[in-house]
Each structure stands twice: as C-alpha cells, then as structure tokens.
Amino acid sequence: MVQVDGLSKRYGERTAVDGVSFSIRRGECLGLLGPNGAGKTTLLRLVLGTAIPSAGQLRVLGRAVPAQAGLVRTQIGLVPQADNLDPDFSVVENLYTYGRYFGLPKAKLDAQIPALLEFAALAERADAKIGDLSGGMKRRLTLARALINDPQLLILDEPTTGLDPQARQLIWRRLRQLLAQGKTLMITTHYMEEAERLCDRVMVMDKGRILATGSPAELIRTHIEPHVVEVYGAGVEPWLVQLGEAAAHRVERAGETVFCYARDERPLLESLSRAKELRFVHRPANLEDVFIKLTGRELGVMG
Amino acid sequence: MRHGLQWLPVWRRNFLVWRKLLLASLVGNFGEPLLYLLALGYGLGAFVGTVQGMPYIVFLASGIVCASAMNAATLEGTYSAYVRMAIQQTWDGILATPLGVRDIVFGELAWTGTKAFINAVPILLVAAALGAVHDWRALWVLPMVVLIGLSFGAMALVVTAFARGFDFFLYYATLVVTPMFLLSGVFFPLQGMPEWVQRGAQLLPLTHAVAIVRPLMTGQTLTQVAAHLSVLVAYTAGGFLLAIRLFRRRLVL
C-alpha cells in the first residue's frame, strides 16, 4: 500500500524527516506517535505528495510519489489536523463541493452522500452551517468528506485532538468500521489509548527518525519492564535511596512522582507496604511508558 | 481525469459562495462605481462640459467600466483569495484531492475574470440607459471586461503569493492600483499630463483597457487594437505563470 525507503525532508538547516523506511500493508492501521515537531505531519504530507522529498523513494498504491501524486490522491482520503471545512457552505454542500474536486459526477454524489451523512451521524444536520456544528460534528464531517471518493488509504492527522470522550469514542467506532471494511489507515496521534485501541502497528518517531516499530503489545514487551509502580508522597526521596533504587530495575522522575519499572514487582510492593507515608499505584506497563522511554520525559521542542 | 477542466470545480466553489451572498456583494461592488459615474459624470461634468468632443459623462462611463473590472478582479485576487488560502485553508483542502496548484490558480483566475464581468456589466447597462453608449459595437466590451479582469486578477494573485497578512495588500492598493486608477485615462485624457507621465502610463494595463473600451462605447475610431490587446494578454499570461510558480513554492513544501 505504502512503501517508503530512505525518505528525507529538509527545510534549510532543519531536517524534518531523516531517512525513514517503512511500509504499510493493505487493510492495516499504522499509528504514528511522536512529540510535537517529530516530523509526523511532514511525513503525511510526503505520502500525499504535497511536500517534495529531499531524498529517498516513495511508492503509494503502487505508484511513485510525488511524480504521480495527483493520480494517487484519487484513492486517498485526508483528515487534516485542523478542520478546513468551507464555512460558507452547509454540511451537504461541503460534501458536494469536495466531491466535485475529485471529478465525481452529480449522480454518484447524490447516491453516496446520504450514506456518508448517516455514517457521520449528521443526517439530521445536513443543512446546518459549519459554524453551528460542535467540534465532534466538524471532525465527523471532515471524516465523511475524506471518504467521498471511497479511498483505499485514509490518512488521519490527529483525528480526535481536542474532542470530548464521547465524541472521541464515536470517531474510534467509525474508524474501526472502516478497518472492518478493509480500508487502510495511517494515523498520527498524541493519545496512547487511541494508538493501543486502533492500531495494528505503531511507529514511534522523534526528531525525524523512527525509533521503534511494532504492535503496541510488542513494543511494550520489547522496550519496557512489564510492571510500573508510581510512587509519590513526602518521603519518596529517602525511600528511593534506601530501598526503591535497589528494588526497581529502572527509575524515572517526573516532578513529584517517581516511576519504578520492574520485571518483578514484589520487592517494590513489599518495601512500599512498610513505608506508610508514601502513596503508590501499581499498574502494567503501557504504550505511554514506551513512548516516554524512547522520546524522553522533557517537553519536546515545538515545531 | 485529465480533461483540461479540472479547475472548473474551484471556480464553481467560488461562484456558489458568491451566489449565496448575492445581494450584499452586488450592492457593495456595483454601488461604488455607480456613485462615481453619477456624481462625477453629472456633478463635475456640469463644469467640464465636453471632453474630446463628448459630454463628460459619456467620456467617463467607459473609464468607470474598466476601473470597476479592475477593482473587482483585484479585490477577488487579493483579499478574497488570501482568505481562501491562508485563513480558511480552502486551498489546503483542495490540494488533498487530485487537483494541483495549477488547477487552483486557474480556477481562481477564471473567477477574477467572472467577478470583473459581473461588476462591470451593470455599469455598462446603466451607461447605456443614460445614453452614454453610442452603438452596438459596445457589446465587444463584454469580452473585454473579462480580459481586463483576468489581467488584473493574475497580477493580484502574484501579490497574494507573497502576502503574509492583509496589510500587505495596502501597499499594492496604494502604490499600484490607486495610481493606475488615476493615471490611466479613466477620469481625464492623458494628453494634458507631463510627457513622462504619459509615457509611464503606457506601461499600465488599465491605460490599454481604456484605450479599447472607450472607442467601443463612444463610437470613436478604434486604433492599435492588437497592441493594446497584447499588453493585457501579456499581463494575464505572465501573471498566471508567475503565480503558479510562486504558489507552488509556497504551498507544496
């Protein structure tokens, strides 16, 4: 579906994408995780052919991009990071207008649009103005718009950022429906939960490079200890020096909280059971732990 | 897919939005040139008497037709196009479809020509109703205002390709469009101006637009048509090609 070899993109001195290679199989959902400025959006633009690579090869749906990008885009749907719906048009008018950019005839749009409105749960709001829609509705309309050409590959740039939990879950259900229909998804996200729930495979990116690739379970298994004990409270420092550091396999700090990673959690829990002044949470390691281990705990540079 | 009309949906999108706001935009775009025509044509015309052997309002009407085509296309190619590009991200949305930068620029350019037509034709009709149109040759003004619109639309799109905000368009309006408005023979014949101004005016596309439209509307003899037309065509073609290059550099990163 997508085949990328040694792809780089430089803007002057800055390297946004630095020699990445990966592929996406038909029908899979690939997640792109990374701090802001990691190069995720640039990578999506390269796949779409709206950015020109500085080096490397890129084939999408069997064709070379950017050389044949126009043709390839007939088979791609994009949900951009910021909604760019047409504010002068109603919900349905947005769909018709966008469909015409793909050269789709009116009869085809007439047939397709009611189903898309249904899919986006916007059938009742078909004639609403864009300004009157909630954030979740706008995102669903953007998703419906991206499906107007019945694309094989759907590219989603942070599809649920800024949405409330209900709105997010509805988007997730729709994306799972699309996967069940055999569509291929490429999705960037800041939400580990989103990646764990939706993605067959996840790529962790930072500073333009791919740091790790694998299924969420694989990444957790290979990159991190299975147990995490988060400890906080007034006496956390002395406890750490006396007992914690010896009992944990690896320790990280984030403000007041100490994260203890361990293959065997029992020594940690035992020592904590004697330290009454400390509070702690014991949980299995998750994708966020992997992400933080790979990309660092400090804030990424915005870019 | 490649049938040469890919740009048409871009034009159509703008047309459909315009149609929604029909009344407001007609009043806004049509009202001002009409005021110029009536106030100056009758008010100033009472003092001026005849110009080049015709009543002042007859002289002025052809100039106002050209100026309104220029202004409509300029406004559409600068502020409105900028809103679609930078504020609403309409163009980003279009670039995710099979259409490319060339299709967008062509569609927008065609739309500036359309807007020029929409705004200039009512002025022509009013002029005809006021007896300021000599004969049926004036029908040639219809394609002319489209060409005028295209040449100013192409220039405006080049300016928009450099713009980082609305303020930028003030420079263009003040340094280019307004001097052109005043020094292209819209309000008065250029013969009375210093030699260097007359020569400079020959570089301005509006001068050549007026040089064709005025004879067509007033029944004067049309001279050097090919030369005047080729200036307008050159501005259109040059601006179009340059705008594509500039927008490609800006939009395809």
Side-chain angles (χ1 to χ4, degrees), chain A residues 44-176:
Chain A
L44 297 188
R45 294 191 69 126
L46 289 166
V47 171
L48 266 173
T50 55
I52 310 298
S54 309
Q57 300 292 316
L58 177 58
R59 290 188 82 77
V60 182
L61 295 142
R63 292 177 192 277
V65 170
Q68 293 187 285
L71 203 54
V72 169
R73 285 198 295 265
T74 61
Q75 295 298 319
I76 299 185
L78 172 71
V79 175
Q81 207 172 97
D83 286 316
N84 54 17
L85 297 163
D86 228 313
D88 298 307
F89 289 137
S90 69
V91 169
V92 269
E93 287 168 341
N94 261 280
L95 294 176
Y96 275 99
T97 303
Y98 212 69
R100 282 193 290 263
Y101 297 143
F102 284 90
L104 299 172
K106 183 174 182 299
K108 186 151 192 208
L109 292 172
D110 286 341
Q112 235 167 346
I113 284 174
L116 285 174
L117 286 171
E118 206 61 53
F119 179 82
L122 287 170
E124 261 98 77
R125 306 302 301 267
D127 297 315
K129 286 223 148 214
I130 299 308
D132 296 335
L133 300 181
S134 69
M137 289 174 182
K138 281 187 204 161
R139 287 268 89 183
R140 268 149 36 213
L141 178 55
T142 303
L143 177 60
R145 192 184 72 167
L147 296 170
I148 195 85
N149 56 329
D150 194 19
Q152 297 185 51
L153 172 64
L154 194 60
I155 296 179
L156 305 107
D157 199 357
E158 299 188 17
T160 66
T161 296
L163 298 187
D164 63 40
Q166 286 85 352
R168 174 173 303 156
Q169 299 228 348
L170 182 49
I171 298 267
W172 287 346
R173 277 206 296 279
R174 291 303 185 248
L175 295 182
R176 271 195 292 267

Side-chain angles (χ1 to χ4, degrees), chain B:
Chain B
M1 186 60 209
R2 288 270 132 192
H3 44 55
L5 287 174
Q6 300 86 345
W7 56 272
L8 197 58
V10 178
W11 177 90
R12 189 162 169 194
R13 181 244 164 240
N14 293 344
F15 174 74
L16 291 175
V17 172
W18 171 81
R19 206 176 59 180
K20 278 186 174 252
L21 310 167
L22 186 62
L23 197 63
S25 66
L26 275 186
V27 169
N29 297 323
F30 173 53
E32 190 182 303
L34 189 65
L35 280 175
Y36 268 107
L37 180 60
L38 297 179
L40 293 180
Y42 288 117
L44 194 60
F47 295 96
V48 173
T50 61
V51 176
Q52 291 180 347
M54 58 184 102
Y56 183 59
I57 193 160
V58 175
F59 175 87
L60 182 65
S62 48
I64 294 288
V65 165
C66 295
S68 80
M70 168 181 81
N71 283 331
T74 300
L75 212 60
E76 197 61 38
T78 52
Y79 287 89
S80 305
Y82 186 80
V83 166
R84 291 189 280 273
M85 171 180 69
I87 311 293
Q88 298 180 357
Q89 315 269 325
T90 310
W91 293 5
D92 266 353
I94 297 173
L95 286 174
T97 74
L99 303 188
V101 170
R102 189 182 13 172
D103 302 314
I104 294 177
V105 175
F106 202 97
E108 291 286 350
L109 182 63
W111 177 241
T112 62
T114 310
K115 274 300 281 278
F117 184 85
I118 292 170
N119 283 14
V121 167
I123 307 291
L124 182 64
L125 294 177
V126 170
L130 295 175
V133 170
H134 191 266
D135 57 44
W136 290 104
R137 273 202 312 163
L139 285 177
W140 285 105
V141 173
L142 299 179
M144 270 308 298
V145 293
V146 174
L147 178 61
I148 296 167
L150 293 175
S151 57
F152 284 99
M155 288 168 66
L157 287 170
V158 169
V159 173
T160 301
F162 288 110
R164 296 285 153 186
F166 291 113
D167 297 344
F168 190 69
F169 298 129
L170 278 176
Y171 293 108
Y172 181 59
T174 310
L175 299 177
V176 180
V177 178
T178 305
M180 190 143 38
F181 186 46
L182 295 173
L183 296 175
S184 294
V186 170
F187 296 103
F188 46 82
L190 289 171
Q191 282 82 344
M193 302 295 281
E195 179 68 21
W196 64 271
V197 174
Q198 290 193 40
R199 221 172 283 148
Q202 293 307 310
L203 297 174
L204 305 176
L206 190 60
T207 305
H208 299 276
V210 174
I212 297 178
V213 170
R214 180 157 291 144
L216 286 174
M217 281 176 68
T218 60
Q220 290 173 324
T221 318
L222 206 51
T223 55
Q224 294 181 296
V225 185
H228 294 311
L229 278 179
S230 54
V231 171
L232 293 173
V233 170
Y235 270 98
T236 303
F240 175 58
L241 295 175
L242 185 58
I244 290 177
R245 281 185 73 112
L246 293 169
F247 279 123
R248 221 171 245 155
R249 214 170 60 187
R250 177 164 182 165
L251 299 170
V252 180
L253 303 169

Side-chain angles (χ1 to χ4, degrees), chain A residues 215-248:
Chain A
S215 72
E218 260 167 29
L219 289 178
I220 294 166
R221 204 164 52 236
T222 51
H223 287 275
I224 204 116
E225 301 76 8
H227 295 279
V228 185
V229 181
E230 298 179 21
V231 189
Y232 45 99
V236 67
E237 284 302 324
W239 169 81
L240 196 60
V241 174
Q242 287 163 21
L243 299 162
E245 269 169 355

